[in-house]
Amino acid sequence: MQKKSITLTDNRNGNTYTYPVLEATRGPDVVDFRTLFKDTGLFAYDPGYTSTASCSSAITFIDGAKGELRYRGIPIETLAKEHSYLETCFLLLNERLPNADELQNFDLELRHRAFLHEGLRSLFAAFPDNAHPMATLSAAVTALASFYQEHLDMNNKAEYHEMAHRIIAKMPTIAAFAYRHSLGIPCIQPDIDLSFTENFLTMIRAYPGGKMHLGPHGHETIREVEVRALDTIFTLHADHEQNASTTVVRNVASTGAHPYVAIASGIAALWGRAHGGANESVIAQLEMIGSVENVDAFIKRAKDPDDDFRLMGFGHRVYKNFDPRAQVLKTLQDELKEELGLNSRLMEIAAKIEEIALNDDYFVSRHLYPNIDFYTGIILTALKIPKNMFTPIFVIGRTVGWITQWIEFKKDPESKIARPRQRYIGD
Ligand code: ACO
């Protein structure tokens, strides 16, 4: 069978060049332009990488037009409904779902690895009380690289999986430490008797010493419905192919740096409000709008080309129909409305924005639909999680994706140092 290719004609000199088209198992095929510069003396120009595939990957598939997202071939809707976050982590790392024994062993291993080295405590103390937990989180993950310097042998699967399990297990503890430090309350180590997600909720909510706060009705417990909601949020964030922060992780991996340093860089990239930081900005924006009556004025601002105001939680580079993660969360939000007491003023404002934007020509013609961040904030607020912890929660969920992508990069014989070129327009 004839191989697919694409031929370019350079109309400056009439030369033609043929480039192979590499087939994808799903989604667009890619043109292999690796010799473009050598052949033509030209660089490919694509700021923002809107048409660039930076690697071959078998982890996550997105069809932006259909609103489809799959991890290792399994639709996100199935994972969110029928599987836990830990099963999803196992799937991403091992290319298949675990059986009952494997899941139990994986869960136990993560519980054992969740504590933080005592030597790390003083690092948190160095940050001012009002430090954003994302700053502390990124620094603490960098510090982790100096506590665990081994596990870089890519021929030893057990070793690099241990490295991966450790960072997945410790991330909720680091995030909880960062948060508790920002409040000036003593940090608590994880409880080995609690599941991944329940442990995290306990570590951020518990009274010093590990007991839950005493509420008006006695001990406040963590409800099963809360664990389920947060676990689903972790699953929905677990991976998202070559997004901005994952690209940063892969680029840092390409220089040979320690995997935890690559992840710390991913955390920094995720913090921005065009990316993961949007979940915090959504709630801040809803609070700023203040009431349903003010929504129209803000929609007007979002549409004004001379105003840089954007509706946070709307739009996506890849999804041009709907964000399937947002749909799962919207369904979850409706299901849990009563149980989580979601009938808040903020939710009314959000519902009004959603209704207008979904019918307004400005948003419809630009394919600007609510993304995952639009819904996470509402649910996390109902779980009594403060705004500055929304993006750290994204980090906890995404850690498995970053580390799986790091491993895939290291195992790929075509990986090279990431070193793009430029179109020079200076003097
Ligand atoms: N509100 C108002 N207008 C918007 C919005 C928005 N949220 N998003 C895009 N637009 C407009 C732009 O002004 C532009 O209009 P124009 O064609 O008239 O100039 C058009 O839609 C295309 O926008 P781009 O910025 O070119 O789209 P891009 O794909 O580069 O950006 C992004 C995607 C960053 C997500 C953008 O939609 C945005 O800033 N959204 C708000 C922040 C947000 O929710 N981020 C979370 C993304 S999901 C995630 O990372 C987990």
Side-chain angles (χ1 to χ4, degrees):
M1 198 176 68
Q2 203 191 351
K3 290 219 165 115
K4 288 190 200 167
S5 64
I6 188 166
T7 299
L8 300 182
T9 303
D10 185 342
N11 64 12
R12 296 172 306 170
N13 52 25
N15 289 346
T16 59
Y17 306 93
T18 299
Y19 293 96
V21 170
L22 310 179
E23 287 189 16
T25 49
R26 287 174 199 260
D29 295 339
V30 300
V31 187
D32 182 352
F33 271 139
R34 279 176 291 185
T35 61
L36 180 75
F37 176 59
K38 199 168 89 192
D39 299 341
T40 65
L42 296 169
F43 293 141
Y45 183 63
D46 185 19
Y49 313 125
T50 50
S51 299
T52 297
S54 60
C55 60
S56 299
S57 180
I59 303 170
T60 290
F61 172 72
I62 302 175
D63 184 328
K66 284 196 200 144
E68 187 182 351
L69 168 63
R70 290 167 184 264
Y71 299 159
R72 301 285 189 197
I74 303 181
I76 191 66
E77 295 80 2
T78 309
L79 290 168
K81 204 164 176 197
E82 295 168 21
H83 299 280
S84 67
Y85 174 66
L86 286 199
E87 285 175 279
T88 304
C89 290
F90 187 98
L91 168 73
L92 286 167
L93 285 166
N94 298 282
E95 303 170 37
R96 61 175 177 81
L97 286 162
N99 61 33
D101 280 352
E102 287 169 332
L103 181 60
Q104 194 185 24
N105 289 337
F106 185 57
D107 183 1
L108 275 178
E109 187 189 339
L110 293 197
R111 288 181 196 217
H112 277 99
R113 294 191 182 284
F115 71 93
L116 284 197
H117 193 292
E118 281 296 304
L120 262 175
R121 270 188 196 257
S122 51
L123 178 117
F124 292 86
F127 282 79
D129 279 359
N130 62 355
H132 194 288
M134 284 295 278
T136 321
L137 195 54
S138 176
V141 173
T142 299
L144 214 56
S146 59
F147 283 84
Y148 303 97
Q149 298 181 21
E150 70 282 31
H151 306 311
L152 294 169
D153 177 4
M154 294 315 290
N155 295 315
N156 188 337
K157 187 172 173 184
E159 269 201 8
Y160 62 75
H161 268 206
E162 189 179 322
M163 173 279 294
H165 297 172
R166 177 184 298 121
I167 189 77
I168 295 166
K170 293 193 192 303
M171 199 62 92
T173 315
I174 298 175
F177 268 49
Y179 170 62
R180 292 178 79 94
H181 173 73
S182 76
L183 293 181
I185 50 174
C187 299
I188 51 170
Q189 291 281 5
D191 180 342
I192 196 129
D193 292 332
L194 299 180
S195 72
F196 183 91
T197 302
E198 195 177 355
N199 227 329
F200 174 67
L201 277 173
T202 307
M203 284 188 289
I204 60 167
R205 279 197 204 158
Y207 198 73
K211 285 208 174 75
M212 296 303 289
H213 293 273
L214 269 178
H217 311 294
H219 277 298
E220 189 188 314
T221 51
I222 291 170
R223 291 179 295 151
E224 199 278 326
V225 61
E226 296 179 302
V227 176
R228 194 183 127 211
L230 187 57
D231 204 76
T232 306
I233 287 176
F234 286 150
T235 299
L236 297 174
H237 285 103
D239 194 50
H240 213 229
E241 54 119 299
Q242 307 313 316
N243 58 85
S245 54
T246 301
T247 299
V248 167
V249 169
R250 279 183 176 256
N251 284 357
V252 177
S254 82
T255 69
H258 190 287
Y260 297 166
V261 177
I263 289 186
S265 313
I267 293 172
L270 190 78
W271 193 1
R273 53 198 237 129
H275 195 9
N279 56 14
E280 183 178 341
S281 303
V282 167
I283 294 295
Q285 198 168 78
L286 294 178
E287 286 167 354
M288 183 179 80
I289 294 172
S291 81
V292 172
E293 290 71 46
N294 297 334
V295 168
D296 284 328
F298 281 94
I299 295 273
K300 203 168 158 207
R301 283 189 62 190
K303 290 161 46 172
D304 181 351
D306 298 323
D307 189 332
D308 62 6
F309 177 84
R310 283 192 168 197
L311 268 191
M312 288 292 118
F314 274 78
H316 196 275
R317 170 62 63 77
V318 182
Y319 295 121
K320 297 300 174 196
N321 189 339
F322 61 88
D323 178 341
R325 303 166 300 172
Q327 293 226 321
V328 170
L329 281 185
K330 189 170 162 50
T331 310
L332 187 76
Q333 186 180 282
D334 293 342
E335 278 171 23
L336 303 183
K337 212 169 173 171
E338 298 298 316
E339 282 180 89
L340 287 178
L342 282 173
N343 271 324
S344 66
R345 180 178 53 90
L346 294 187
M347 203 172 157
E348 277 172 31
I349 302 171
K352 171 91 174 169
I353 293 176
E354 190 185 356
E355 183 198 320
I356 297 180
L358 290 176
N359 294 298
D360 186 299
D361 186 55
Y362 174 92
F363 294 92
V364 174
S365 64
R366 287 170 180 75
H367 308 287
L368 301 171
Y369 298 95
N371 57 47
I372 184 169
D373 294 324
F374 189 69
Y375 298 105
T376 42
I378 298 280
I379 298 179
L380 293 177
T381 303
L383 297 183
K384 302 188 211 69
I385 291 173
K387 276 202 301 285
N388 64 357
M389 282 303 286
F390 292 0
T391 318
I393 281 173
F394 195 150
V395 169
I396 295 171
R398 182 56 56 85
T399 299
V400 64
W402 286 329
I403 206 65
T404 308
Q405 299 268 353
W406 186 92
I407 292 169
E408 188 178 67
F409 179 90
K410 292 304 237 190
K411 302 291 284 179
D412 183 350
E414 300 202 325
S415 293
K416 287 169 90 76
I417 185 167
R419 202 327 182 170
R421 300 302 304 273
Q422 63 177 11
R423 169 182 169 233
Y424 179 67
I425 53 167
D427 195 351

